Amino acid sequence: MLACPYQRSTLGVIGILVFYYLYWNLYVFSSDSKLREDLSSLQQSYIYIKPSWGYNNSWRQIGSKANHLIYSAYFDDRLDVLETINDHNTKVPIGSLRIIAILPREFKEAITCTVRFEDFVDKSIAIGKVQSLKEHHDYKYAAYSFMCPLYVNRNSTAIHLPQSVAISYPSNRLSQLSPTFMPISYPRDVDQLFAMSRPVVSVCVGPLQQNYSDVLRVAEFVEMYRILGARHFYFYHLSASEEVMRLLRHYQSEGIVDVLQWNVPAELLTQVHFAGIMAQINDCVYRAMVVDNYRYAATVDLDEILIPLKHNSLSIFLRQCDEGRTSAYVFRNVFFYNLDSNDSFSLPAHTHNRFLYSQMKVRRTLEVMPTHQRSKCIVNTQSIIEMGNHFVWRNVPGYTETTVPLSVGLLFHYRDQCINCKAPLMVDYTARRFGSLIWDRVDETCGQVFNESGLCPK
């Protein structure tokens, strides 16, 4: 049956409108991409004079408001994170400052950034209202990650980069009268500014808290990820035993671990999700990208191992599979439970540290959890704007996340308490293929750190 003339006419008009809409958006996108490409070339033509700075961040109170805190600020040279480019005929962007903070979840005020240069000249940048990171779990306070754009005169040649930044807002008068300035973090090596990221796998570990004391688990975690190709680790210390800190100081002396102060005030711990973990995750991804110029960051907890099933390491997996436009590789979750019985069949007779969870727990849940439910990621740091606990919330345009096929990789989650104790389990010996290395590496490390006994306390 032929369509009625009205239907044909309506569809024709809609088709024309859709065509022009798509054409206009394609034109705008192409023009904007060309503009950003031209500005990027101009951005890299300047001579940059970098201030002195330090990396030892800590939570600092903003003005007079208790539990209004700022932790860090990073110089981000990516122009494609800027939503709009303003006044590019006279002023051009050279990047932005990414600020990590904790504020009330219902915070509605307009924020002003004040950047300070090494000669104590200040410059104010109004950025308006900001949104909290989404995974706040309805707590009173939430993590924030927001951006202050940096512009310079188009005809500049040498540019002095700012040394520190503060934020202020109307209800906090002291934040305006006596700003809390946070040092801005830059690349360790000035030559890495605007350089291509290094294909290094780093690991971001959730905050150590509640006087964390399982030294053996920390040693196994670090050594397993080193076997899997990771080269650097970021630990955030709220509270841990002296034995754990002794082990981390050993790794620091080897240059493979950074231990960062995570001094969330005690009264805030019950009013923000998991000691501010969303701020920690985002801080770590930006730290890996800006300070160390690492391309990859795995965001995991101490009981989680990202296991490649078809490759000998995560670094080999990324080298062979990353085509450059993936924001995150999402590994789906399976559980191993501490309450399950141990399997000591493969335990070497000469081993001193005789419980490694990756080698003793061999039964996992049969069900693989869906993507984004307790999944964890390896991210391309250059693609991230806002990172979540289990997936990416916002990435740079042109990047997309990829779920790792079940035959290629899984997240092995070794939980102390089971989620569903009656869930069917299956035997999985995959992690034992690393047994010939992990037993010896843990024994060697524990022997070096605790040479009196050779044992890492558990």
Side-chain angles (χ1 to χ4, degrees):
M1 180 183 295
L2 292 174
C4 69
Y6 176 78
Q7 288 175 312
R8 288 198 299 269
S9 175
T10 302
L11 289 173
V13 171
I14 292 174
I16 291 170
L17 291 175
V18 168
F19 172 79
Y20 277 109
Y21 174 80
L22 293 174
Y23 176 81
W24 173 251
N25 277 276
L26 179 62
Y27 171 76
V28 170
F29 177 78
S30 299
S31 300
D32 186 66
S33 297
K34 183 64 168 64
L35 171 63
R36 290 172 191 267
E37 186 178 327
D38 292 343
L39 290 176
S40 180
S41 298
L42 183 60
Q43 172 198 39
Q44 296 181 44
S45 70
Y46 296 129
I47 298 170
Y48 291 90
I49 302 170
K50 206 166 57 165
S52 57
W53 78 99
Y55 296 111
N56 296 322
N57 296 97
S58 63
W59 287 106
R60 303 183 188 183
Q61 183 172 311
I62 303 169
S64 60
K65 298 285 189 178
N67 297 332
H68 291 217
L69 308 171
I70 184 171
Y71 184 75
S72 56
Y74 297 94
F75 176 71
D76 185 351
D77 61 26
R78 300 172 299 174
L79 298 185
D80 42 8
V81 304
L82 302 175
E83 294 182 1
T84 57
I85 305 291
N86 301 320
D87 301 326
H88 58 83
N89 291 321
T90 56
K91 292 183 177 293
V92 295
I94 58 167
S96 60
L97 301 179
R98 175 62 53 171
I99 295 173
I100 305 297
I102 288 178
L103 294 166
R105 176 168 56 88
E106 299 296 338
F107 188 85
K108 301 296 184 184
E109 299 184 60
I111 282 180
T112 297
C113 294
T114 300
V115 296
R116 173 166 287 179
F117 295 84
E118 213 160 17
D119 58 3
F120 289 95
V121 171
D122 293 349
K123 178 182 178 181
S124 295
I125 304 168
I127 63 171
K129 294 182 179 180
V130 295
Q131 293 287 329
S132 68
L133 294 172
K134 293 181 174 60
E135 294 180 47
H136 47 67
H137 295 262
D138 295 328
Y139 280 84
K140 181 178 179 180
Y141 291 89
Y144 284 75
S145 169
F146 49 86
M147 179 184 67
C148 296
L150 295 178
Y151 283 78
V152 297
N153 292 326
R154 191 181 185 95
N155 58 358
S156 300
T157 52
I159 295 170
H160 288 266
L161 292 169
Q163 184 178 49
S164 56
V165 63
I167 62 172
S168 59
Y169 39 96
S171 70
N172 191 347
R173 184 161 174 76
L174 192 60
S175 71
Q176 301 168 318
L177 298 176
S178 180
T180 302
F181 280 95
M182 177 61 60
I184 298 167
S185 292
Y186 292 95
R188 293 187 199 271
D189 181 356
V190 68
D191 294 333
Q192 294 299 307
L193 200 62
F194 310 116
M196 182 177 294
S197 59
R198 296 184 287 165
V200 172
V201 179
S202 60
V203 180
C204 295
V205 189
L208 294 173
Q209 55 185 306
Q210 298 178 339
N211 200 36
Y212 190 86
S213 59
D214 195 339
V215 185
L216 185 57
R217 173 162 284 195
V218 176
E220 180 181 1
F221 174 90
V222 172
E223 297 305 330
M224 179 62 85
Y225 272 105
R226 291 179 74 184
I227 291 169
L228 292 171
R231 286 175 48 188
H232 201 88
F233 298 79
Y234 301 97
F235 282 85
Y236 289 73
H237 173 235
L238 178 59
S239 64
S241 69
E242 173 54 32
E243 290 82 6
V244 167
M245 297 310 296
R246 185 172 167 182
L247 175 66
L248 292 180
R249 285 193 293 269
H250 165 76
Y251 282 130
Q252 276 184 293
S253 69
E254 293 190 335
I256 64 170
V257 161
D258 283 356
V259 180
L260 303 151
Q261 187 179 5
W262 196 249
N263 57 320
V264 178
E267 66 273 14
L268 184 59
L269 290 176
T270 58
Q271 301 182 73
V272 66
H273 174 55
F274 203 72
I277 190 172
M278 293 308 300
Q280 175 265 321
I281 290 172
N282 281 273
D283 178 84
C284 190
V285 170
Y286 276 91
R287 185 176 299 273
M289 176 184 71
V290 173
V291 175
D292 293 309
N293 199 31
Y294 296 150
R295 186 173 306 162
Y296 303 111
T299 56
V300 290
D301 293 322
L302 283 169
D303 57 359
E304 297 171 333
I305 307 291
L306 302 173
I307 296 288
L309 302 180
K310 289 186 177 293
H311 303 82
N312 288 330
S313 71
L314 295 170
S315 53
I316 293 173
F317 160 71
L318 293 165
R319 187 162 62 245
Q320 293 183 357
C321 299
D322 186 11
E323 296 180 349
R325 303 307 291 180
T326 299
S327 61
Y329 291 93
V330 183
F331 288 70
R332 292 171 62 184
N333 179 88
V334 294
F335 289 115
F336 294 76
Y337 293 133
N338 193 41
L339 296 176
D340 194 24
S341 58
N342 295 331
D343 185 331
S344 59
F345 179 77
S346 68
L347 177 64
H350 65 274
T351 299
H352 296 291
N353 294 272
R354 300 180 68 80
F355 180 85
L356 301 185
Y357 56 88
S358 66
Q359 305 304 304
M360 301 291 276
K361 301 299 181 183
V362 297
R363 296 204 307 162
R364 67 164 174 85
T365 49
L366 180 63
E367 178 190 9
V368 181
M369 298 195 75
T371 304
H372 296 171
Q373 292 188 26
R374 296 189 176 270
S375 55
K376 288 299 173 73
C377 308
I378 298 177
V379 301
N380 179 340
T381 60
Q382 291 286 332
S383 74
I384 302 301
I385 298 176
E386 291 181 8
M387 187 64 203
N389 198 0
H390 304 290
F391 54 91
V392 178
W393 279 107
R394 287 181 61 205
N395 51 247
V396 171
Y399 288 85
T400 56
E401 75 171 26
T402 295
T403 299
V404 177
L406 300 183
S407 61
V408 176
L410 286 171
L411 168 63
F412 281 16
H413 193 162
Y414 296 88
R415 276 190 64 92
D416 290 333
Q417 297 179 347
C418 53
I419 299 295
N420 178 6
C421 295
K422 296 183 179 180
L425 304 177
M426 62 171 284
V427 174
D428 190 333
Y429 292 118
T430 303
R432 282 195 171 168
R433 66 188 168 115
F434 306 109
S436 60
L437 290 173
I438 190 66
W439 290 109
D440 290 344
R441 286 197 176 197
V442 170
D443 264 2
E444 180 181 358
T445 297
C446 294
Q448 291 174 351
V449 179
F450 303 96
N451 49 30
E452 319 87 52
S453 65
L455 300 176
C456 281
K458 175 172 171 53

